Amino acid sequence: MSEAKSEKAKKFPLLPLRDVIIFPHMVVPLFVGREKSIAALEEAAKNDNELFLVTQKDASVLNPDRDDIYDIGTVVNIIQMLRLPDNTVKVLIEGKYRARIKNFTAAPSGYWVEVDKCQSKEGDPVQLEAVIRSIKNIFEQYVKLNKRIPPELLMSISSITDPSRLADIIVAHLSMKIHEKQEILEAIEIDKRLQLLLEKMQGEIEIINVERRIRTRVKTQMERSQKEYYLNEQMNAIQRELGQKDDGKTELQELEDRLEAKKMPEEARERTRKEIRKLKSMSPMSAEATVVRNYVDWMLALPWFEYTVDDNSLKHAKDILEEQHYGLKEVKERMLEYLAVRTLVKEEGKGTILCLAGPPGVGKTSVAHSLAESLGRKFVRISLGGVRDESEIRGHRRTYVGAMPGKIIAALKKAGTSNPVILFDEIDKMSSDFRGDPASAMLEVLDPEQNKCFSDHYIELEYDLSKVMFIMTANDLSNVPAPLRDRMEIIKVPGYTPNEKLQIGKGYLVKKAVKNNGLHDYDMNISDVTLMHVIRDYTKESGVRELERLLNTIARKIATEVVTENIAKGEKFIVAPKHLKKYLGPQKYDRTDVERDPQVGLVNGLAWTAVGGELLNIEVVTVPGNGKIQITGKLGEVMQESAKAALSYVRSISGRLGIDPTWYDKNDIHIHVPEGATPKDGPSAGVTMVTALASAVTGIKVFQDVAMTGEVTIRGRVLPIGGLKEKMLAAKQAGIKTIIIPSKNEKDLSEIPNDIKVGLKIVPCEMVEEVLRHALNLSQPDSFMKVVGLKVVSNEDTKLEVAN
């Protein structure tokens, strides 16, 4: 290979190029905008239209120096020059020959260089011809693969015999990087230049073939509508083929990083890793990829081994419970006992299933929240009212569209720890249908022996719930299935007495009403007497929700007065009993609505409801007829059977009551329980019905200041009942003086507050005869009994018979 020769150096104006290389024999248009470059064009116009073009190493340099440009460029001839309106110049140039910079001069007006023309001798003609043929063949393949090159170029290439010209024209049409083209430009020797060109073309053809393979493979995996994914995959595949990697983290890499940093069981980690691998091979636009991504997000969001540290200070817990709740002595004691045991027994998961049962509005939910606050645990409330689908508890399987985990797993994610306090609110309101029985699904959750390995259908892995503290609330435990009730420790939350409501109203509710209704700057004074009037005359509840609403009503009325009349801050508003009609309207409830005088066939019974105790009147009348029995008042099956048992018992003691046995064949009996639209059920009205029947068939009046409760057998035994506190409270509020209870309930009196028992005469009875002796007015004249055609016995005899 011969040495390069140089002609005598010539001086040319220099125009530095950005991101483009001009080869000899090329005819291309250029747009020139830099002042020094335009000056170079103007100088060239004065100097035979010849110009030296060389490419910058860094296109971002505005004013390049000698070190910022390559050594070898191209001397060109300006064919046409046109100045555009935006002060740029469009110039059409033709490359003439290669030249090497000898001297470089940078002036304010532009650049000047002295260059030497580069020349070389041709090598072996045979070898050169072989290379030229190879180049032409490979370029033909390249043109067929690259649709951007017009096929007509092949005709002009085939007619070129000059190897230098051939190389320069071909390289101008190749898709190559700037430094690769500069390398070919700097190859002065013909055979070296052709060899480089041949290597570059072969490399480009290989890249195009790889690109086609990638395009074909990716296209078979994608749907036509997934254009964005197709482009991303194509780019990633090209980078993999070229051995390049993106420095930025992709979304999948972020998921993998989160997985590595997450504390979780090994089985869960392996499952998540498998799902991420599956996600990598999917289209991000496909429905299945969304399902897999959601599953991975849930797995990474769950607090597998994340716990909060408990505060087992009994004093702290007691202070919080006392501060936030008035009364509820038994409930607070049980909570403190639980905390004390936890302090001594380090093993969790034992005895943590508590159920707070009681009427609405007594503070069951807020007690659970206070317990969580005292422990320093996260608190999550799950409402079970109306839940009738088992999947709400256990989750849906991932085969279903829109599948999600159950409420348990969702609560743990929300809490962010594996040992929160989870409150199942209104567990007695769950029901079942064709979608499953959610109460049965709760059996595993609430069993300390089983919930260590709770399995959600969506997660499909075991999750340890043993460190979760579960608390339930219920209004009516009879609606909770027995197996579920067996797993819970039931804490009765009783209704409040009027005095307790008074203290809650003074200490909490009045202040809350003032705060919620913007009366901070005013003095709203509600006396104890006024508050008690609100409690007795406007509310009929076991809790304090209605009381809170009424106090808010009063506060709103006062707030309206403040705004309407523009009352100055600091004004004092005294709410007296006489003002209640103005703020709350007329009195809603009359607590002394019982009859004053003794009545025939009318008895005051006591009933328990989910919202507290109620006074339940039972009426019995007899009319001439043929022995029919009619029972009305929308009574349940148990209550109807109780009425029939009471009638059978009364008929069995007809002789002792002095009733002619043929009387039942000549008269009809109608038993009615008022408020006929309200459903009623239960056996505890048995003694009430016996007393009403005995009064109706004998004509003996019943004292109306007496109320009673108790189940009765057909042999006359009085059986125990539940809800004694609520029933006694209802009796006291109605103005009852004497209450008759079963003897077996006498032991429950110790748990009833004294302010309920004060003023009540409590009579425990074991047999119905004792009930009749205290309830019937046996001192009335015999003439009343003659009117109804009964066998006459003396009062003394009647008393003796009844007493027996």
Side-chain angles (χ1 to χ4, degrees), residues 655-658 782 785 790-798:
R656 288 188 287 172
L657 293 176
D782 296 339
M785 299 178 66
L790 299 180
K791 178 181 176 182
V792 180
V793 293
S794 66
N795 286 337
E796 293 298 323
D797 292 339
T798 303

Side-chain angles (χ1 to χ4, degrees), residues 318-333 361-364 366-367 370 492-509 511 528 531-532 535 542-544 547 725 753 755:
K318 186 176 181 180
D319 291 343
I320 289 180
L321 290 172
E322 291 294 342
E323 178 186 351
Q324 298 181 358
H325 300 87
Y326 179 84
L328 303 179
K329 180 181 177 183
E330 180 185 349
V331 177
K332 292 176 182 177
E333 286 180 355
V362 294
K364 301 184 295 296
S366 59
V367 165
S370 298
K492 295 290 182 68
V493 184
Y496 295 115
T497 66
N499 287 336
E500 288 175 334
K501 292 181 182 179
L502 176 65
Q503 298 302 323
I504 293 171
K506 285 170 54 180
Y508 304 92
L509 302 184
K511 297 176 183 177
D528 291 2
L531 206 52
M532 188 58 76
I535 293 168
S542 295
V544 290
L547 175 61
K725 176 184 176 180
D755 58 338

